Amino acid sequence: EGDILALTRELCSIPSGVVVPGNERLFERLAEEVPLTLHRYPSGATHNGWLVPDLWRVERATVSLDGAIVYDAAAHPLGVAAYSQPFQGELELDELLRYVVTNAAMPEALIYHCMWQYRPWDADWAISMPHELVRALPSGTYQVDLVTHRGPGEMLVGVAEHRGRSERTIVLNAHTCHPGMANDDMAGVAVLLRLFQRLAGRDTFYSYRLVLGPEHLGTVFYLRDLAREELERLVGGVFAEMPGTAGPLTVASTFLGGHPLD
């Protein structure tokens, strides 16, 4: 258990996303645990309404009052809403708060704003700020210096195989695109890495395939490029998420029931 927690913490420390610079380091680290075949999908690729977004990074993201920085949103990967546009200007407090993501029920938390990761064409700008800080902001004219960059890049998906006696394959999937978030889903990634290590060298009936990549987009584009005969070997898939919550472990049934996974 402690080993999985340590790995989860390490993975959470790497600023990942759909298409961000930190993904190269993340997948290098994942490949140290389980050998991965890396698939790359260029920005601008489309399939069935899905779009691989540009590479996005934050250069700086400060909120200042009277020349003093009151908040550095770039200090944590959740501080700037993913795929925010750049913005530089002055805003009164009530105007500034229209661009702040916060939650009074979780006063110390940074709230994850992910919509523009999957709909980059809708992007405006926003910052995530703990509510305890929001409550303490005095009235005044704030200076916002948000510098972000977008350009061509690649979405990464890592795949590993465990061959069983049958070519019929069960897919095990977890996602890599939520930076700094353990249960959603670096804990899922860590659990599946350890599971695949346990499978190594074991005699199994089914074959197993580990697929690690951005939620929705990663599997959409990975499946797009599989040959029909390979698709027909896939028995089904299990998505591992929220393995560290306080409640009992839960396995969902399939939508229609009567499936081999059930």
Side-chain angles (χ1 to χ4, degrees):
E1 177 186 321
D3 177 52
I4 290 177
L5 288 173
L7 179 57
T8 300
R9 289 192 183 96
E10 185 180 352
L11 298 180
C12 283
S13 72
I14 302 173
S16 59
V18 176
V19 185
V20 297
N23 285 347
E24 296 287 348
R25 181 156 59 98
L26 175 68
F27 278 89
E28 286 176 4
R29 181 64 187 88
L30 300 179
E32 292 175 8
E33 300 294 329
V34 171
L36 296 174
T37 299
L38 204 56
H39 300 261
R40 296 175 177 269
Y41 304 92
S43 299
T46 61
H47 180 63
N48 201 26
W50 294 97
L51 170 71
V52 178
D54 286 340
L55 182 78
W56 177 79
R57 65 180 180 87
V58 178
E59 181 177 332
R60 59 182 183 270
T62 59
V63 179
S64 303
L65 180 64
D66 299 328
I69 294 175
V70 297
Y71 185 59
D72 181 2
H76 190 280
L78 297 182
V80 180
Y83 285 87
S84 282
Q85 301 281 9
F87 176 83
Q88 292 175 296
E90 294 189 340
L91 298 171
E92 296 302 312
L93 178 60
D94 60 338
E95 296 175 300
L96 172 65
L97 293 180
R98 290 203 288 269
Y99 296 92
V100 170
V101 182
T102 192
N103 187 342
M106 304 176 69
E108 298 179 0
L110 290 169
I111 308 304
Y112 184 41
H113 186 301
C114 62
M115 181 190 307
W116 300 327
Q117 254 190 159
Y118 309 104
R119 300 179 181 179
W121 53 86
D122 284 339
D124 193 354
W125 69 274
I127 59 173
S128 181
M129 190 181 295
H131 198 73
E132 60 185 7
L133 178 58
V134 173
R135 269 199 312 259
L137 292 175
S139 297
T141 302
Y142 288 81
Q143 299 80 45
V144 176
D145 183 18
L146 173 59
V147 179
T148 64
H149 300 278
R150 288 174 59 169
E154 293 177 316
M155 177 177 69
L156 305 184
V157 175
V159 179
E161 295 275 354
H162 168 80
R163 300 307 298 265
R165 281 173 278 130
S166 171
E167 287 193 339
R168 300 182 74 198
T169 300
I170 295 172
V171 176
L172 302 170
N173 173 231
H175 62 80
T176 59
C177 53
H178 294 189
M181 299 181 67
N183 270 321
D184 191 13
D185 182 32
M186 290 304 173
V189 172
V191 166
L192 291 188
L193 287 171
R194 292 291 180 255
L195 173 59
F196 239 67
Q197 289 169 341
R198 286 192 174 197
L199 284 174
R202 292 185 64 172
D203 177 32
T204 63
F205 174 75
Y206 288 109
S207 294
Y208 293 88
R209 183 172 303 174
L210 177 64
V211 180
L212 303 176
E215 190 172 18
H216 308 308
L217 286 159
T219 48
V220 163
F221 284 88
Y222 174 68
L223 287 168
R224 179 197 68 175
D225 294 345
L226 290 184
R228 176 159 295 280
E229 57 269 22
E230 192 169 358
L231 287 169
E232 290 173 350
R233 290 202 297 268
L234 302 182
V235 173
V238 177
F239 176 54
E241 189 182 68
M242 305 291 175
T245 56
L249 289 174
T250 302
V251 179
S253 63
T254 60
F255 287 113
L256 300 179
H259 189 280
L261 288 177
D262 295 301

